Amino acid sequence: MLSKERILGALAQVIDPELGRSIVELGMVRDLQFDEDGRVSFTLALTIPTCPLRDKIAADARAALTVLQGVTEVSITMGTMTEEERKAVFAKGTPNLPRLNQFNHIKRIIAVMSGKGGVGKSSVTALLAVALTRQGQRVGVLDADITGPSIPKLFALPAGGLRASEQGFLPAVTPGGIRVVSINLLLRDEGVAVIWRGPMISGAIRQFWNDALWGKLDYLLVDLPPGTSDAALSVLQEIPVNDVILVTTPQSLSAMVVRKAVSMIQQLKVPILGVVENMGYYRCPDTGNPHYIFGSSHAGELAAAAGAPILATLPIDPQIAALCDAGRVEEAHLTEIDELVEKILVNV
Ligand SMILES: Nc1ncnc2c1ncn2[C@@H]1O[C@H](COP(=O)(O)OP(=O)(O)OP(=O)(O)O)[C@@H](O)[C@H]1O
Ligand SMILES: [Mg+2]
């Protein structure tokens, strides 16, 4: 016979990996009901609604009940604790904590890089993240630009938005569900400059990689600082990057700078997925004719040097710039980015 005690006994075996305690002890199991046909239902109240481990905890709870004799159906409604309850849970401490990153399952890591600054790496990274999410992909963005982080601003994520504990970080989550880790989310005041030397920057990137709880991701996009700095090197050496996308603009060709970036990527044996030419032209709103404001394209030369294709040429779009500036990148639509996403989905 099913009983409340037997059901709770089974659910008590389910451990919240972040807190290291049973979900029953944590008061996460609520509104428990069951009937004589063996149908069990309850609400699973998590500490935060966007908990990257929510699927794992729910699956563990379901598995624990399914093996219980007499259970025919399990229905779990996801809920969230109140702020008071959440504080009380964390105030109790968190014994025998596992490292959170063991719960990460990341299918593909793509780094976005350029030889030069200001060509639109961060914008392209954010637009790609948004477009991939619209295609139903689970996406995270690691802002590896430690001294000039701009990803949080594009998504209007406030400073202090990362939750950190001894076990690691929980990324901030955008309204569209993109998980974001950036140094600016750790700082109390985002206006404070991070003045660090190379080794510290590398250490921060390593920590972001090792300690973030991304959960399950289809794509992790890494926004790099410009050039071939220590940060870029750290990312390519320490993070198992699957592909690099090179961003360039027509005016940014400095053969040496570009060759340096390509040479660094090639020496580190990371495949280059292709080249994205940003701000390639401006389409006149009246006539629809393209105007090559920054001169003719050099993307072909870069692609040849990289031995990779040109994946997209993006127009100068004042509306995109305005949405990015206003922290509303999730509202942006750019056909060329959608086409780029199609290529990425087919390729990787
Ligand atoms: N296609 C575009 N159309 C109009 N404006 C753009 C476009 N792409 C980027 N911008 C604007 O150009 C500026 C620089 O872009 P962004 O910050 O993405 O470049 P970046 O390469 O990441 O720079 P940094 O090297 O400093 O990290 C931003 O103000 C952005 O809004
Ligand atoms: Mg940038």
Side-chain angles (χ1 to χ4, degrees):
M1 270 291 280
L2 269 186
S3 66
K4 190 175 172 187
E5 288 65 36
R6 281 188 61 220
I7 295 172
L8 286 177
L11 288 175
Q13 309 301 313
V14 179
I15 305 294
D16 177 315
E18 188 196 355
L19 297 163
R21 302 215 307 268
S22 145
I23 59 171
V24 173
E25 184 200 339
L26 289 165
M28 290 180 169
V29 178
R30 302 182 179 185
D31 314 322
L32 177 62
Q33 290 181 358
F34 60 98
D35 64 19
E36 53 201 28
D37 294 327
R39 286 186 287 242
V40 179
S41 68
F42 67 94
T43 299
L44 183 62
L46 300 169
T47 49
I48 49 165
T50 53
C51 176
L53 291 168
R54 54 182 275 152
D55 294 343
K56 178 174 168 45
I57 299 172
D60 287 354
R62 191 176 292 282
L65 289 179
T66 308
V67 295
L68 201 62
Q69 207 181 7
V71 173
T72 55
E73 201 180 301
V74 179
S75 154
I76 304 174
T77 306
M78 301 310 268
T80 316
M81 292 183 175
T82 63
E83 189 55 25
E84 306 277 276
E85 290 168 337
R86 203 178 75 75
K87 278 190 188 143
V89 159
F90 281 97
K92 277 194 187 168
T94 47
N96 53 38
L97 304 173
R99 299 302 303 163
L100 289 177
N101 64 3
Q102 64 176 294
F103 302 106
N104 291 344
H105 293 281
I106 303 173
K107 285 197 194 147
R108 206 79 206 169
I109 304 177
I110 301 180
V112 180
M113 194 174 169
S114 74
K116 228 189 135 197
V119 296
K121 287 173 300 298
S122 303
S123 312
V124 168
T125 306
L127 288 166
L128 263 182
V130 171
L132 280 165
T133 306
R134 283 197 194 118
Q135 293 290 325
Q137 305 294 312
R138 288 163 300 189
V139 182
V141 178
L142 194 161
D143 186 353
D145 197 341
I146 303 295
T147 51
S150 51
I151 294 292
K153 189 169 177 290
L154 294 170
F155 290 98
L157 292 169
L162 278 191
R163 259 184 50 203
S165 71
E166 279 169 32
Q167 294 170 275
F169 305 97
L170 285 185
V173 184
T174 70
I178 299 167
R179 294 170 194 168
V180 177
V181 168
S182 168
I183 187 101
N184 252 15
L185 297 169
L186 275 179
L187 303 175
R188 269 207 207 99
D189 175 0
E190 61 188 9
V192 173
V194 175
I195 310 166
W196 287 351
R197 291 187 196 282
M200 269 179 85
I201 291 178
S202 301
I205 290 172
R206 191 174 308 127
Q207 216 178 341
F208 278 173
W209 170 244
N210 284 331
D211 293 351
L213 168 60
W214 296 102
K216 282 189 187 147
L217 287 184
D218 295 305
Y219 289 93
L220 176 65
L221 305 180
V222 187
D223 181 26
L224 287 179
T228 46
S229 59
D230 287 357
L233 190 63
S234 295
V235 167
L236 296 179
Q237 279 183 326
E238 300 200 18
I239 299 180
V241 171
N242 299 102
D243 300 278
V244 173
I245 290 181
L246 280 171
V247 181
T248 183
T249 57
Q251 85 275 32
S252 72
L253 186 85
S254 146
M256 189 192 69
V257 171
V258 169
R259 257 191 275 119
K260 261 193 187 170
V262 170
S263 144
M264 177 167 136
I265 300 167
Q266 288 172 341
Q267 279 181 54
L268 296 170
K269 298 195 171 30
V270 184
I272 300 175
L273 190 62
V275 174
V276 171
E277 186 175 37
N278 190 23
M279 305 191 235
Y281 58 93
Y282 176 71
R283 195 172 289 288
C284 172
D286 298 329
T287 63
N289 289 337
H291 293 277
Y292 298 92
I293 292 176
F294 294 132
S296 59
S297 171
H298 296 289
E301 292 163 49
L302 175 53
I310 300 174
L311 295 171
T313 300
L314 311 179
I316 298 170
D317 187 333
Q319 222 182 335
I320 295 286
L323 284 172
C324 288
D325 274 355
R328 290 163 52 197
V329 69
E330 286 184 302
E331 294 168 40
H333 280 270
L334 202 57
T335 319
E336 290 79 1
I337 288 281
D338 293 339
E339 289 164 5
L340 173 57
V341 159
E342 293 299 329
K343 285 186 191 166
I344 290 176
L345 290 174
V346 170
N347 273 312
V348 288

